[in-house]
């Protein structure tokens, strides 16, 4: 069906411009109650300026509340037709085939996060607890990005309930565990062993025999304990490596040594014996 094909092509054109991208734009028109429409351009990797997408397929819209840092700040001169202004992509409006952008100076700063795609596993972040539930705490990193610290990720040794220090508005430091761009979700950890560790095991290419790494036990099976790291990295501590009294429990932070690396199958054998690391 032609209209479905057109819809798909418009969505593809929108998604070609990553959320968080900084763009050069030109104001088309402005309605005080709603905002301004813009035509945007971006710079490609070669440095040549070109349309982010065909002008008749993709436009940009900046809501009135995203033009200046303060709502009472005069904006008349900055929203006249033809005015050039930089903006930043917040999300996609598929129904209108348009990018929704912000022009607020505070949002244009490098320190402002507008998308989970700007974060990488292992990255140290700071935020404020915005909500506490039975299964963990939500930490707001910016106006646009909030991540979940699961109950098992709040402390080195998991507790049955959320500790009192994770109260609403409490400031916390965390590390990024996983990023789910498609769902715009973010998983964080506040385990001190991971937050304070100088080395973040984020890539299989970093693996080598006798390397000491810190992770957490994600599951325990009859054949051993699965230790997870950042992203989708994990390794196995064989059951014979774990003494009964010292066997790590699910959720527990653990420091271990890489015993073997199987690069063909991308498998890691771990040991709780740290000597030689």
């Amino acid at each position: 069906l032609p209209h479905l094909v057109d819809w798909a092509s418009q969505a593809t054109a929108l998604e070609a411009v990553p959320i968080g991208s900084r763009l050069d734009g030109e104001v088309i028109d402005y309605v005080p109650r709603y905002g301004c429409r813009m035509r945007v351009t971006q710079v490609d990797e070669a440095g040549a300026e070109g349309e982010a997408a065909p002008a008749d397929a993709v436009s940009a819209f900046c809501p009135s509340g995203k033009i200046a840092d303060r709502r009472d700040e005069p904006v008349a001169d900055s929203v006249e037709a033809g005015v050039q202004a930089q903006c930043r992509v917040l999300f996609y409006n598929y129904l209108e085939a348009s990018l929704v952008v912000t022009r607020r100076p505070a949002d244009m700063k490098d320190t402002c996060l507008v998308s989970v795609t700007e974060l990488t596993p292992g990255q140290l972040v700071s935020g404020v607890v915005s909500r506490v539930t039975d299964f963990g705490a939500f930490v707001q990193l910016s106006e646009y990005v909030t991540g979940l610290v699961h109950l098992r990720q709040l402390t080195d040794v998991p507790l049955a309930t959320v500790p009192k220090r994770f109260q609403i508005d409490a400031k916390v430091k965390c590390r990024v565990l996983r990023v789910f761009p498609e769902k715009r979700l973010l998983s964080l950890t506040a385990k001190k062993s991971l937050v304070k560790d100088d080395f973040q095991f984020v890539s299989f290419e970093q693996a080598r025999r006798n390397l000491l790494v810190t992770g957490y036990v994600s599951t325990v099976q009859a054949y051993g304990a699965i230790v997870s790291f950042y992203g989708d990295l994990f390794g196995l501590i064989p059951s014979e490596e774990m003494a009964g009294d010292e066997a790590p429990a699910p959720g527990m932070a653990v420091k271990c040594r890489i015993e073997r690396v199987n690069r063909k199958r991308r498998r890691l054998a771990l040991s709780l014996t740290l000597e030689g690391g």
Side-chain angles (χ1 to χ4, degrees):
L1 297 176
H3 64 285
L4 293 181
V5 174
D6 185 55
W7 180 284
S9 64
Q10 290 178 348
T12 300
L14 285 175
E15 293 168 356
V17 186
I19 293 176
S21 297
R22 290 170 172 80
L23 309 173
D24 292 324
E26 178 183 345
V27 176
I28 299 174
D29 55 26
Y30 171 65
V31 178
R33 185 178 178 181
Y34 300 105
C36 64
R37 290 191 304 156
M38 303 176 68
R39 183 178 294 107
V40 296
T41 59
Q42 66 177 349
V43 178
D44 61 25
E45 293 182 357
E49 189 178 81
E51 292 290 336
D56 59 349
V58 175
S59 62
F61 177 74
C62 182
S64 57
K66 300 296 182 183
I67 296 174
D69 285 337
R70 302 195 320 272
R71 285 187 172 274
D72 59 349
E73 187 175 334
V75 297
D77 293 341
S78 66
V79 292
E80 292 182 356
V83 167
Q84 303 290 321
Q86 283 199 330
C87 57
R88 199 171 178 194
V89 181
L90 293 180
F91 56 91
Y92 309 125
N93 184 335
Y94 292 102
L95 188 61
E96 300 291 337
S98 175
L99 300 170
V100 178
V101 301
T102 177
R103 290 175 52 186
R104 295 195 311 187
D107 294 337
M108 298 301 294
K109 293 179 179 179
D110 292 338
T111 54
C112 179
L113 289 170
V114 300
S115 169
V116 297
T117 58
E118 297 176 276
L119 296 169
T120 55
Q123 185 174 341
L124 184 65
V125 293
S126 298
V128 175
V129 177
S130 59
R131 186 157 64 99
V132 177
T133 69
D134 292 339
F135 54 83
F138 287 88
V139 176
Q140 186 174 6
L141 305 184
S142 72
E143 179 182 342
Y144 307 103
V145 177
T146 297
L148 171 65
V149 184
H150 190 274
L151 184 62
R152 285 187 175 183
Q153 294 297 330
L154 293 171
T155 54
D156 279 358
V157 179
L159 303 176
T161 59
V162 176
K164 291 184 179 180
R165 72 184 183 91
F166 291 94
Q167 298 178 348
I168 301 296
D169 293 332
K171 295 181 180 180
V172 294
K173 284 187 177 181
C174 306
R175 285 197 186 274
V176 177
L177 267 185
R178 297 191 69 179
V179 179
F180 304 91
E182 299 81 6
K183 298 180 179 179
R184 298 182 186 178
L185 297 178
L186 183 65
S187 177
L188 303 171
T189 180
K191 291 181 179 293
K192 287 185 178 181
S193 294
L194 292 172
V195 172
K196 294 185 176 182
D197 198 6
D198 294 329
F199 176 74
Q200 286 73 55
F201 189 33
V202 299
S203 169
F204 191 86
E205 283 63 38
Q206 293 175 293
R208 59 176 175 79
R209 190 170 185 271
N210 291 329
L211 178 68
L212 298 182
V213 290
T214 303
Y216 63 94
V217 178
S218 52
T219 184
V220 177
Q221 302 291 342
Y223 51 81
I226 302 295
V227 177
S228 293
F229 303 98
Y230 297 103
D232 56 0
L233 276 177
F234 67 91
L236 172 68
I237 301 177
S239 56
E240 56 267 23
E241 279 277 340
M242 301 185 296
D245 296 337
E246 301 176 0
M252 184 179 296
V254 60
K255 190 165 190 174
C256 45
R257 179 175 55 84
I258 297 179
E259 180 71 26
R260 292 188 304 278
V261 180
N262 186 328
R263 299 197 179 278
K264 185 176 181 179
R265 300 183 61 191
R266 297 182 71 84
R267 295 288 187 265
L268 299 174
L270 306 173
S271 172
L272 292 174
T273 302
L274 304 183
E275 294 179 6

